[in-house]
Amino acid sequence: MPLLGRDVVLVDAVRSPFGRAKPDGLYAHTRADDISVAVVRELLHRHPSVVPDRIGDVAIAATTQDGDQGLTLGRTVGILAGLPRAVPGYAIDRMCAGAMTAVTNVAAQIAVGAIDVAVAGGVEHMGRHQLGAGADVNPRFVAERLVAADALVMGATAENLHDRYPRLTRARADSYAEASQRKYAQALADGHITGDLVPVAVPDPERGWGLATADEPPRPETTVAAMATLPTPFRPGGRVTAATSSPLTDGATAALLMDAETAESLHLQPRMTLVSYAYAGVDPEVMGVGPVPATHRALELAGLTMDDIGAIEINEAFAVQVLAFLDAFDIDDDDERVNPYGGAIAVGHPLAASGVRLMSQLARRFAERPEVRYGMTTMCVGLGQGGTVIWENPHHDASTRVGAADSRQEEVTR
């Protein structure tokens, strides 16, 4: 049953190839809004039955809303993508959960009948706009001890998680990070990645125009042995390294959402159906635990337990943050439900764009795993938040079963 009125479905989700945020990176000479325009155009091109006039809103997120990431992105990207002037749009900032919030915001609009169709996504050009660049942080945060000084440094909050939970060792983090790289490389080889990628034209002042077609951040040669030699930049003698952190990344994502009846009338096959979502706040000093209370709340709203969840896509801001989530729900580090195609440690984390990347990967897994009925996308958020969205698989085959709850029921039946 939908939480609010109408069923909301995700018809499709796409993304640009992700680039490294550096002077010679994939998008070093490309505007952030142009990357976003490319994915929105492709999203609509893939679904010609969606008449642009029917789009009720465009929500595009960015964490650093400045320069080519400013000026109400949803509106400007919509116009640049060729949408009718009558289609409104707006910008969103919930840091890392920007695109996730864009999706849940428009989903709420659709659920209550305010609109029928929407585009939601995010973009981040970290090569041009570093996290916190230009921000004037109120000195009261530290002066009045509202948060610790290191709460504003994401890597330091990851070190704090290691401190708070001794079971979250560097060895575990290194092992998890190596697995993320390995799983992404295998998923790429098996064809699980490229289907959602949108080629983006990229200029270069020396070589002319080129085409971005593949992710730049992955390092498939990464090994645990090599990681052990890396420095810990956030604390002398610490445990967080570049290898166990998501790299600074440029990229954009976009999703097409509508109510189920509209999708049926347009002869569109939904990739996922939204079940519930929740956001929660935690101490900024340990922002990585944010997905835990958000997930508890989303499960409660859906009337489900973690045993019902057959597929989990969690953003890998830091390996230790993922491990904290897994321990909280008594999930093994190598549980096959979790990020089987790798995650942000390998592919990158263009902040506000990442939420829809999680959704596109979950949707692909749903299509390949009809035995899975429910899945979730979840992520931590800077300054102490977490967000979780629970989805249902429209391809679910009730004759198959998956998950711990099903296994227990089978044993009882025997």
Side-chain angles (χ1 to χ4, degrees), residues 259-405:
D259 69 283
E261 289 187 4
T262 295
E264 184 177 3
S265 71
L266 296 175
H267 306 290
L268 296 171
Q269 173 60 56
R271 297 182 70 185
M272 302 196 294
T273 301
L274 193 149
V275 177
S276 70
Y277 65 88
Y279 299 93
V282 297
D283 290 339
E285 295 83 357
V286 285
M287 66 94 189
V289 299
V292 176
T295 296
H296 279 301
R297 178 59 176 158
L299 288 169
E300 178 185 4
L301 290 170
L304 301 172
T305 70
M306 188 59 81
D307 286 342
D308 297 306
I309 305 301
I312 300 169
E313 287 291 329
I314 180 169
N315 192 46
E316 298 171 353
F318 300 94
V320 67
Q321 155 254 314
V322 178
L323 296 175
F325 176 87
L326 298 180
D327 280 8
F329 290 97
D330 197 25
I331 299 172
D332 292 339
D333 294 3
D334 58 354
D335 192 302
E336 65 177 8
R337 292 177 295 171
V338 182
N339 293 11
Y341 303 155
I345 287 173
V347 75
H349 174 28
L351 299 181
S354 288
V356 167
R357 179 191 67 80
L358 300 176
M359 296 171 194
S360 69
Q361 292 199 184
L362 181 62
R364 186 165 294 277
R365 292 173 62 189
F366 273 175
E368 295 164 356
R369 299 284 303 279
E371 72 275 17
V372 172
R373 182 174 183 183
Y374 297 108
M376 71 167 56
T377 53
T378 187
M379 61 200 314
C380 62
V381 186
L383 297 182
Q385 297 184 77
T388 298
V389 187
I390 294 177
W391 303 88
E392 186 170 10
N393 185 359
H395 311 286
H396 174 61
D397 182 352
S399 67
T400 60
R401 294 197 299 266
V402 68

Side-chain angles (χ1 to χ4, degrees), residues 123-364:
V123 62
E124 210 76 50
H125 198 309
M126 300 183 75
R128 293 187 178 183
H129 310 284
Q130 294 183 4
L131 177 61
D136 182 10
V137 180
N138 195 307
R140 290 181 51 224
F141 275 112
V142 175
E144 298 181 15
R145 298 185 180 180
L146 300 176
V147 299
D150 62 7
L152 305 178
V153 180
M154 298 302 102
T157 69
E159 288 284 8
N160 292 342
L161 276 179
H162 279 293
D163 292 341
R164 181 169 293 194
Y165 304 105
R167 290 187 66 239
L168 307 181
T169 63
R170 175 170 176 173
R172 281 182 68 188
D174 286 354
S175 179
Y176 182 89
E178 187 274 337
S180 181
Q181 297 281 359
R182 173 172 38 82
K183 289 189 288 187
Y184 173 86
Q186 188 62 55
L188 183 64
D190 292 341
H192 298 313
I193 303 297
T194 54
D196 296 325
L197 295 187
V198 176
V200 178
V202 291
D204 185 284
E206 296 181 0
R207 294 187 293 270
W209 286 89
L211 197 64
T213 59
D215 295 315
E216 189 178 26
R219 296 185 181 278
E221 72 281 2
T222 299
T223 65
V224 169
M227 281 189 241
T229 66
L230 294 177
T232 56
F234 303 107
R235 181 191 298 176
R239 290 139 296 191
V240 179
T241 68
T244 55
S245 311
S246 55
L248 301 180
T249 314
D250 305 330
T253 59
L256 179 64
L257 297 105
M258 60 188 69
D259 69 283
E261 289 187 4
T262 295
E264 184 177 3
S265 71
L266 296 175
H267 306 290
L268 296 171
Q269 173 60 56
R271 297 182 70 185
M272 302 196 294
T273 301
L274 193 149
V275 177
S276 70
Y277 65 88
Y279 299 93
V282 297
D283 290 339
E285 295 83 357
V286 285
M287 66 94 189
V289 299
V292 176
T295 296
H296 279 301
R297 178 59 176 158
L299 288 169
E300 178 185 4
L301 290 170
L304 301 172
T305 70
M306 188 59 81
D307 286 342
D308 297 306
I309 305 301
I312 300 169
E313 287 291 329
I314 180 169
N315 192 46
E316 298 171 353
F318 300 94
V320 67
Q321 155 254 314
V322 178
L323 296 175
F325 176 87
L326 298 180
D327 280 8
F329 290 97
D330 197 25
I331 299 172
D332 292 339
D333 294 3
D334 58 354
D335 192 302
E336 65 177 8
R337 292 177 295 171
V338 182
N339 293 11
Y341 303 155
I345 287 173
V347 75
H349 174 28
L351 299 181
S354 288
V356 167
R357 179 191 67 80
L358 300 176
M359 296 171 194
S360 69
Q361 292 199 184
L362 181 62
R364 186 165 294 277

